[in-house]
Amino acid sequence: MPTRALNPLNSILAEDLRLLLEQRHHNPGAILGRHLDGAQCTVRIRIPGARAAWLLPSKDPMTRWDDTDLFFWKGPTEHLPVHYTYQWEDESGAVQERTDAYTFPLLLSDEALGQFHHGKHLHVWQMLGAHIQTIDGIRGTLFAVWAPNAERVSVVGDFNDWDGRIHPMHNRGYTGVWELFIPEVSEGCLYKFEIRSRPHSTLLVKTDPYGRAFEMRPGTAARVCGSSMYRWRDSDWMSQRDGWQHKPISIYEVHLGSWRRHADGRFLDYRELADELIPYVQQLGFTHIELLPITEHPLDASWGYQTTGFFAPTSRHGDPDGLREFVDRCHQAGIGVYLDWVPGHFPRDGFGLARFDGSALYEHEDWRRGEHREWGTLVFNYARNEVRGFLISSALYWLEEFHIDGLRVDAVASMLYLDYSRGPGEWLPNRHGGNEHLEAVDFLRELNTVTHREAPGSVTIAEESTAWPQVTRPTYVGGLGFSMKWNMGWMHDTLRYMSKDPIYRHYEHQDLTFGLLYAFSENFVLPFSHDEVVHGKGSMWQKMPGDEWQKMANLRLLYTYMLTYPGKKLLFMGSEMAQPWEWRHDESLPWDQQADPRRQGLMRLLGDLNRLYREWPALHGQDFAADGFSWIDCHDAAQSVIAYRRMCGPDEVVVVLNFTPIPRAGYRVGVPRAGWYREVLNSDAEIYGGSNRGNAGGVASDALPWMDHPHSLSVTLPPLGGIILRHTGSAS
């Protein structure tokens, strides 16, 4: 047995050897690998569990140092290639072979590392994470991770028996990044990072924050992902998606895991979803699909809102190229795709971002800034350059790599206010003593500036429920820079009103009219989202008062109101078929309910409304402008009727809505022009399941001034129904 006095180890400081063997060394390349000394070289390799080891191709035996798992060889430099392999006999007697990872140079450039450190690298996923490369003709994977407070970081995976002694990484100094190129690690291999925390010597095993694919839950390892070979065919769509402000946007919000499943409960994959979801959305007339978060997440019941893979489509539905194909096929079918994206918080799962290197790295150290106790989650530290870079890179990743058309940013209100859902003593004021989260504001402005610049035609949509000013105004005028914002006030007022028995609605008439006081202060989306059909709130059908006929009539009236009101539209899946119960994330929609003729009628109405909304500029061209809307009458609380005009240039429609079950014949409505007004839609039509009360196709105007208009119409208003009229100029 060799002694400690052997020359190949005399040149190594005893402290370095101790740190290496204790798995604490931050620079393993200083000891391991091939080291030249004139015409001689020394090779040192750590091989846990080896009985004996030798170098190839010469099969020179290596010497074990004392009773450790460190082997060495010394000989002429010319006898050994730069990148050599070695074999060893393990404890079972089997012979294994590996190329030494410590013969390869550092690969990450100082420039890129500096950009990352200063938060200026917009595509960090191209640097950190796992990337297949070929170095000196040898194919392998470059691993890189940010862990500035780690004493040692190792790559562990199914290629090294998850043993942190085999592949410790090189530290890149002040940037806090660790890297290692491991030859022969290929696409599909599973991996994590084993991190020894410097402050507490805690040993952590973490999944890759920049992982681009993960194993199926409950497993949490990242999967080495090769470069995509997918060939996009949506260039026409991508080049024409700008100008969204004046285009129709009617969004079908979808949770892919529960929209439809196989009979045995298995999830549909992305390609199967493309086959089934796209024609369904086309039939209903929606212009966009919005996906509840498909960023990887460990818990189905979180619906994706507790994300652990900010760069990975969930493996529940297949591989990343499957998602690319889904989006591509949507675009080719004329359907845009938005993605719910969650930069406001992240879960505490031990394998994820929480105290990633043993310190509060992605989150704040102080719980008064770093925790959402109500949600049991942690809050990102937006003041940290690397954290902002992580999030902005994530946003660009989805927009660029998957051609996503827009990000709906979750829980923006929780980001803007330091005292959000916090009581006295549970939050820290900003430097001015206020409750505004100034660093989060700066982050959101940077996010919107960067995404709009780097991904032309893409949008960002804020889920923001407060009166924070200028959410959808440009950053250069002091706004947050979002494209659109959910109109939560309109949604709450409308659902509160619609839930009332019609006999009491005249007392709540302001719920229908108040929203127009602020309707054009922001670029609004009108949302009936997943949040309104869970947690005991009842489905949209359950919210409606009355017997079954009245419930369905109320829903038809509600959707007529939404599709003709100023703003873009959003409806959660299942609401189109009057789902009889709340959404259940762990099962399919009740597709058998579509056999009900009343539900078929509701879906037919929604499809017709969406088509009118898409085809007529009056209903979408001025969604964000006051000159696209004009009240005809907003004061008829006694009869619970409202009437208004929607306009865009010469295109104009008249909308009259009756929120009581009383048919109203001879109801007079003022109009600006004389002539024939065709009834282009009646929500009470028989084909929609209604009573067929209406105006026999249209009505001629009278030369009778009414409601400050020079002409008027005498119309029949259906019970719990709405009509849309369009001036045609003649009775033909």
Side-chain angles (χ1 to χ4, degrees):
M1 177 71 66
T3 66
R4 199 177 291 269
L6 284 171
N7 287 336
L9 296 175
N10 280 348
S11 61
I12 303 175
L13 295 176
E15 178 69 5
D16 281 334
L17 278 173
R18 181 184 68 80
L19 290 174
L20 179 73
L21 295 173
E22 293 179 358
Q23 301 178 74
R24 296 176 181 276
H25 206 292
H26 73 285
N27 185 22
I31 302 172
L32 300 177
R34 178 176 181 266
H35 297 270
L36 303 180
D37 182 13
Q40 297 287 302
C41 73
T42 301
V43 172
R44 308 183 192 100
I45 306 173
R46 189 171 191 184
I47 318 175
R51 290 179 176 177
W54 50 92
L55 292 177
L56 299 179
S58 61
K59 278 217 149 187
D60 289 348
M62 301 188 72
T63 304
R64 183 193 302 271
W65 182 61
D66 281 0
D67 57 352
T68 72
D69 52 18
L70 184 63
F71 290 78
F72 65 86
W73 172 88
K74 186 171 184 178
T77 302
E78 63 185 19
H79 286 183
L80 196 69
V82 173
H83 303 302
Y84 51 83
T85 58
Y86 60 93
Q87 290 181 330
W88 73 97
E89 181 185 346
D90 64 23
E91 294 172 345
S92 70
V95 175
Q96 301 188 48
E97 183 175 323
R98 183 179 288 144
T99 300
D100 193 357
Y102 297 95
T103 67
F104 293 87
L106 298 176
L107 300 174
L108 299 181
S109 72
D110 291 336
E111 179 183 5
L113 289 168
Q115 288 177 335
F116 167 68
H117 179 65
H118 293 100
K120 301 302 182 183
H121 199 306
L122 300 181
H123 302 90
V124 185
W125 78 84
Q126 297 175 356
M127 178 177 73
L128 300 186
H131 298 276
I132 296 174
Q133 296 190 21
T134 299
I135 307 298
D136 296 336
I138 299 174
R139 192 166 174 82
T141 299
L142 172 63
F143 295 91
V145 65
W146 179 55
N149 296 304
E151 187 175 28
R152 185 264 304 171
V153 180
S154 294
V155 184
V156 296
D158 55 8
F159 45 85
N160 63 12
D161 297 322
W162 303 92
D163 191 331
R165 295 171 293 178
I166 297 174
H167 287 125
M169 305 177 77
H170 307 295
N171 181 264
R172 295 302 306 269
Y174 75 96
T175 65
V177 171
W178 303 71
E179 71 163 280
L180 184 67
F181 176 78
I182 305 180
E184 298 150 358
V185 172
S186 58
E187 184 170 1
C189 290
L190 297 177
Y191 72 97
K192 288 187 176 183
F193 296 110
E194 184 180 276
I195 300 172
R196 184 179 292 278
S197 167
R198 181 179 291 111
H200 310 294
S201 293
T202 308
L203 197 64
L204 308 166
V205 180
K206 295 286 191 175
T207 199
D208 184 1
Y210 290 88
R212 290 173 290 137
F214 287 83
E215 62 180 329
M216 176 71 84
R217 53 103 178 86
T220 57
R223 191 179 297 277
V224 175
C225 189
S227 299
S228 173
M229 302 303 291
Y230 187 80
R231 298 183 65 179
W232 290 90
R233 298 177 293 277
D234 63 348
S235 57
D236 288 345
W237 171 273
M238 296 294 287
S239 65
Q240 297 171 16
R241 66 179 184 176
D242 210 350
W244 53 267
Q245 297 93 331
H246 305 293
K247 292 180 180 179
I249 297 178
S250 182
I251 305 165
Y252 186 64
E253 188 187 30
V254 182
H255 177 253
L256 291 182
S258 59
W259 180 74
R260 178 172 282 163
R261 293 191 180 186
H262 289 287
D264 60 3
R266 289 181 297 114
F267 296 113
L268 299 183
D269 67 32
Y270 293 115
R271 294 171 178 87
E272 291 170 326
L273 285 161
D275 291 339
E276 299 191 29
L277 181 56
I278 290 173
Y280 184 76
V281 169
Q282 286 179 309
Q283 176 188 349
L284 291 172
F286 289 98
T287 65
H288 289 71
I289 295 170
E290 181 177 315
L291 304 176
L292 266 65
I294 54 168
T295 41
E296 192 60 88
H297 52 283
L299 181 65
D300 291 355
S302 77
W303 316 334
Y305 287 98
Q306 297 212 3
T307 296
T308 51
F310 282 79
F311 293 82
T314 177
S315 58
R316 290 166 175 81
H317 306 295
D319 59 24
D321 275 352
L323 177 60
R324 289 182 174 93
E325 181 178 333
F326 173 83
V327 175
D328 195 2
R329 289 173 61 183
C330 283
H331 287 172
Q332 292 176 63
I335 298 169
V337 182
Y338 297 151
L339 173 66
D340 273 14
W341 183 66
V342 189
H345 62 120
F346 59 91
R348 296 174 178 271
D349 298 81
F351 66 86
L353 295 180
R355 300 197 75 84
F356 185 78
D357 61 0
S359 68
L361 189 61
Y362 287 87
E363 69 271 36
H364 285 269
E365 182 69 52
D366 193 313
W367 66 269
R368 293 170 293 179
R369 285 279 181 94
E371 296 183 14
H372 271 310
R373 292 199 162 181
E374 180 185 11
W375 299 340
T377 55
L378 301 174
V379 181
F380 283 105
N381 183 353
Y382 305 106
R384 195 158 197 167
N385 293 337
E386 298 89 345
V387 173
R388 291 198 311 276
F390 169 80
L391 291 172
I392 289 173
S393 290
S394 171
L396 285 177
Y397 180 73
W398 297 101
L399 297 174
E400 294 181 357
E401 289 290 318
F402 294 94
H403 290 200
I404 296 294
D405 298 293
L407 302 174
R408 178 267 195 184
V409 182
D410 180 63
V412 170
S414 74
M415 301 169 66
L416 293 174
Y417 297 97
L418 294 166
D419 58 349
Y420 184 90
S421 291
R422 295 175 173 90
E426 296 179 344
W427 62 283
L428 295 175
N430 62 36
R431 60 182 177 270
H432 304 299
N435 67 341
E436 300 87 359
H437 196 326
L438 302 180
E439 293 82 8
V441 171
D442 290 342
F443 161 71
L444 291 172
R445 287 173 171 159
E446 183 180 3
L447 167 73
N448 290 317
T449 299
V450 169
T451 56
H452 293 156
R453 182 186 70 227
E454 299 293 321
S458 68
V459 302
T460 54
I461 305 171
E463 185 209 13
E464 204 286 310
S465 55
T466 75
W468 188 281
Q470 300 195 100
V471 172
T472 60
R473 297 297 176 256
T475 57
Y476 57 78
V477 298
L480 293 182
F482 282 96
S483 310
M484 291 172 275
K485 166 183 171 173
W486 278 16
N487 193 336
M488 308 294 278
W490 175 88
M491 179 271 295
H492 286 300
D493 288 351
T494 298
L495 291 182
R496 181 172 59 238
Y497 179 86
M498 294 300 298
S499 69
K500 301 292 184 183
D501 188 298
I503 198 172
Y504 301 115
R505 283 178 176 170
H506 65 282
Y507 295 116
E508 312 294 339
H509 197 69
Q510 71 280 354
D511 281 344
L512 293 179
T513 60
F514 178 71
L516 266 301
L517 296 178
Y518 62 86
F520 307 107
S521 62
E522 301 278 8
N523 299 338
F524 280 122
V525 175
L526 311 177
F528 293 137
S529 74
H530 65 280
D531 281 330
E532 309 318 314
V533 293
V534 290
H535 303 321
K537 297 177 185 177
S539 68
M540 293 294 286
W541 186 79
Q542 288 175 307
K543 296 177 192 296
M544 300 298 108
D547 58 24
E548 291 196 0
W549 189 94
Q550 289 187 338
K551 284 179 179 290
M552 203 64 73
N554 272 304
L555 266 187
R556 294 195 301 268
L557 174 60
L558 174 61
Y559 295 160
T560 303
Y561 177 48
M562 177 178 73
L563 265 296
T564 58
Y565 191 94
K568 308 308 181 184
K569 330 295 178 184
L570 180 141
L571 188 67
F572 184 58
M573 66 180 201
S575 301
E576 78 280 3
M577 65 176 72
Q579 182 169 337
W581 49 79
E582 285 192 347
W583 168 50
R584 300 168 183 171
H585 75 272
D586 53 356
E587 61 184 55
S588 293
L589 292 180
W591 295 102
D592 59 308
Q593 296 291 317
Q594 287 189 338
D596 182 346
R598 297 168 303 173
R599 289 180 163 80
Q600 293 175 4
L602 178 67
M603 295 176 67
R604 187 177 296 115
L605 169 72
L606 189 58
D608 287 347
L609 283 167
N610 270 325
R611 277 181 275 279
L612 293 180
Y613 172 67
R614 286 201 324 267
E615 293 170 6
W616 291 355
L619 291 175
H620 67 253
Q622 297 291 336
D623 268 334
F624 305 142
D627 56 5
F629 177 92
S630 176
W631 281 117
I632 296 174
D633 186 9
C634 62
H635 301 298
D636 193 358
Q639 299 185 86
S640 298
V641 174
I642 57 174
Y644 49 85
R645 298 159 54 207
R646 292 297 311 279
M647 304 87 71
C648 182
D651 193 37
E652 179 175 328
V653 298
V654 172
V655 181
V656 191
L657 308 172
N658 175 19
F659 290 90
T660 72
I662 302 170
R664 304 191 185 279
Y667 192 90
R668 191 158 292 276
V669 179
V671 291
R673 289 185 289 176
W676 179 258
Y677 283 77
R678 184 164 63 95
E679 186 178 73
V680 295
L681 186 136
N682 182 335
S683 70
D684 190 51
E686 186 176 8
I687 61 170
Y688 304 140
S691 63
N692 221 28
R693 299 285 186 93
N695 297 280
V699 61
S701 68
D702 299 322
L704 176 62
W706 200 263
M707 301 173 181
D708 296 325
H709 289 80
H711 312 279
S712 59
L713 308 175
S714 177
V715 298
T716 295
L717 297 184
L720 294 173
I723 59 174
I724 304 176
L725 304 164
R726 195 179 197 200
H727 182 265
T728 64
S730 68
S732 58

